[in-house]
Amino acid sequence: MAGMFSTKGRYALRVMGDLATHEGWVSLGDVAQRQGISRKYLEQVASLMHKAGYVESLRGKGGGYRLTKRPEEYTLGGILRAAEGSLAPVACLDCTNDELCPQIETCPTVSVWRDLGRVTASFLDSKTLADIVREGGDAAGGLC
C-alpha cells in the first residue's frame, strides 16, 4: 500500500501547518515556494480549507490566507476530512458517496477495514495542528 491519503490531504496538512507558523495574512505564493507545491494546486487545497471554515482569505495587496482559529483547535482528522471527504481506508466503507459495497454483509474482511478506520480516525482526531507544528523539526525521525 503506497498511501492511504492523496496528495490533496497531505498538502492540506502542510498548508495549514505553514499558515500556523506565520503571523497575519500569508500569500499562497509564499506557501507554494516554502512547501515546494504548485500554486495552482494550492489554490484548490486552500479553497477546500476555506469552504470548511478553517481559513479566511483577503484579496489584494497585503492579503492572503490565515487560520480562523488557533492551531490547537484543529484536529488533523478534521483537516483531512475537509480535504479528502473521508478517512475510510477502503472505498467500500466511504459513506460520502451514498453507495455501499454490495458485499458488505458477507465480506470476510470488512471488520478489519472498519477497525482500521476507527483506529486511524481516533489517532488523527487526537492530534492537532499545533502538534505537527511543534513536532515539525523531527519530521523524518523514525520513518520506515
Side-chain angles (χ1 to χ4, degrees):
M1 178 163 93
M4 209 163 129
F5 300 104
S6 72
T7 54
K8 198 181 301 181
R10 295 192 320 268
Y11 288 178
L13 290 178
R14 287 172 57 187
V15 168
M16 294 293 285
D18 192 290
L19 294 176
T21 60
H22 293 88
E23 292 287 323
W25 297 101
V26 180
S27 81
L28 277 188
D30 290 345
V31 175
Q33 188 173 27
R34 283 191 295 267
Q35 296 299 320
I37 303 169
S38 92
R39 183 187 171 113
K40 192 152 189 77
Y41 198 83
L42 275 187
E43 288 171 358
Q44 295 173 34
V45 173
S47 175
L48 292 170
M49 297 300 101
H50 187 267
K51 184 176 172 185
Y54 291 170
V55 299
E56 56 187 350
S57 63
L58 179 66
R59 290 185 177 268
K61 187 172 172 69
Y65 288 84
R66 69 180 179 190
L67 301 180
T68 57
K69 302 182 278 190
R70 295 184 352 252
E72 299 81 19
E73 298 178 72
Y74 296 92
T75 67
L76 302 187
I79 294 168
L80 286 167
R81 282 182 193 92
E84 301 276 353
S86 169
L87 296 180
V90 290
C92 64
L93 292 177
D94 182 356
C95 297
T96 63
N97 64 10
D98 293 332
E99 282 184 38
L100 283 178
C101 174
Q103 297 177 344
I104 196 102
E105 297 298 325
T106 59
C107 179
T109 65
V110 73
S111 63
V112 171
W113 299 123
R114 191 173 284 135
D115 289 349
L116 177 61
R118 286 183 186 131
V119 169
T120 301
S122 176
F123 174 77
L124 291 170
D125 289 336
S126 76
K127 295 285 189 176
T128 69
L129 188 56
D131 292 328
I132 63 169
V133 168
R134 194 171 29 253
E135 297 167 5
D138 188 30
L143 288 180
C144 304

